[in-house]
Amino acid sequence: MNPLAILALPLAGLAWGLGFPLGKLAMRELDPAHMVLLRFIVASIVACPFPLATK
């Protein structure tokens, strides 16, 4: 079994579970357009290493 996969599963569950409460907090300060922009920026930063890591 891959230890990275075992670590990634609880981290994905944590990120999924915290998405709604943190989104509610962010919506107090941001309008919806800025919230969507922020989500795309965070997602692109998180996803950026994957294409760079492939051979």
Side-chain angles (χ1 to χ4, degrees), residues 13-49:
L14 182 67
W16 184 270
L18 288 177
F20 183 74
L22 293 178
K24 293 281 281 186
L25 288 174
M27 288 297 285
R28 291 182 187 169
E29 301 294 326
L30 300 171
D31 60 6
H34 283 110
M35 184 66 186
V36 170
L37 179 66
L38 179 66
R39 291 185 85 153
F40 274 116
I41 290 171
V42 170
S44 65
I45 290 170
V46 169
C48 195

